[in-house]
Amino acid sequence: MRVALFVTCVNDALYPRTGIAVVRLLERLGVDVDFPAGQSCCGQPQYNTGYRRETEPLLRRTATAFAGHEYVVTPSGSCAAMICEHYPRIGRKAAAEGRGGELAEAAAALAPRVYELTEFLVDVLGVTDVGAYFPHTVTYHPSCHGLRGLGLGDRPRRLLAAVRGLRLVELPGAEECCGFGGTFAVKNPDVSTAMGADKIASAAATGAEVLCGADNSCLAHLDGLLRRADVPPGAAPRTAPRTLHLAEILAATEEEGPLP
């Protein structure tokens, strides 16, 4: 089986280890991975800010980049939801405005072939045990787009539960938003920070070594708050988990270890 990796601009620019982890993981499972060089941002920041027409060229570019690939896999529920949910809406709106059906056709052709990583592993490859080994205590934060937009359900947890050596602990208030929300965090920084503070307090209370997620955008928000958490003068630093994308956990094996 051959798939195309949609690495996303956030991962490409800030978290390249996640993309490397996805390739390592998929190749270990017998999947050949292509990386179409024409890919770029999916347009979510523009769309979320109200610039629908400015998103249209990115829809065209993304559809062209992944034309001909039966499966497009991405380690981002946020970007997968943008393509699967919002691209068809953008296309229909353009057609309703009398600007032709090109965008609607491009979106309709692409969206059914796009899979978030855990969705692809469980639903397409039919695996939950991917041969991973990660001897740490982990708690999992389900990002809103994956949880509510894509309906990933327990797929990520099933994958984590099958990792040898991993102890999975429940995150209190797991389904509450972390407060990032893409441009929401820029427009509403105080609210975003307060929501994130609640999430990292819940994560720290679990005693987990690792706060895991399937969207590096949300993890970036939480990691920033963890690094800047106030510690009273003279007090010992709090024991707080480090953040890590789920793909990096699933890519780790006893033989190869985690990514360097």
Side-chain angles (χ1 to χ4, degrees), residues 54-201:
E54 286 77 2
T55 308
E56 293 177 1
L58 291 165
L59 188 163
R60 291 190 187 91
R61 183 185 182 105
T62 304
T64 299
F66 294 105
H69 290 91
E70 184 178 2
Y71 298 105
V72 180
V73 179
T74 180
S76 170
S78 171
C79 296
M82 176 65 190
I83 294 173
C84 296
E85 286 191 284
H86 297 299
Y87 273 17
R89 293 174 182 171
I90 294 170
R92 289 193 297 268
K93 188 68 174 177
E97 292 171 346
R99 294 187 289 116
E102 172 213 355
L103 285 173
E105 292 170 4
L110 175 62
R113 297 183 283 115
V114 173
Y115 292 84
E116 186 272 341
L117 176 64
T118 66
E119 185 182 31
F120 179 77
L121 293 172
V122 175
D123 294 357
V124 179
L125 295 187
V127 298
T128 52
D129 186 346
V130 298
Y133 174 73
F134 192 76
H136 300 282
T137 303
V138 175
T139 192
Y140 171 70
H141 165 61
S143 296
C144 293
H145 283 96
L147 179 69
R148 298 176 178 87
L150 298 178
L152 295 181
D154 68 349
R155 292 175 182 85
R157 290 181 51 80
R158 288 163 62 191
L159 289 158
L160 289 169
V163 175
R164 288 188 303 113
L166 186 148
R167 177 173 170 258
L168 185 61
V169 295
E170 290 293 334
L171 177 64
E175 295 189 0
E176 295 176 7
C177 177
C178 72
F180 178 63
T183 54
F184 174 86
V186 178
K187 297 175 189 175
N188 305 281
D190 292 339
V191 176
S192 173
T193 299
M195 294 171 72
D198 287 345
K199 182 66 67 170
I200 63 171

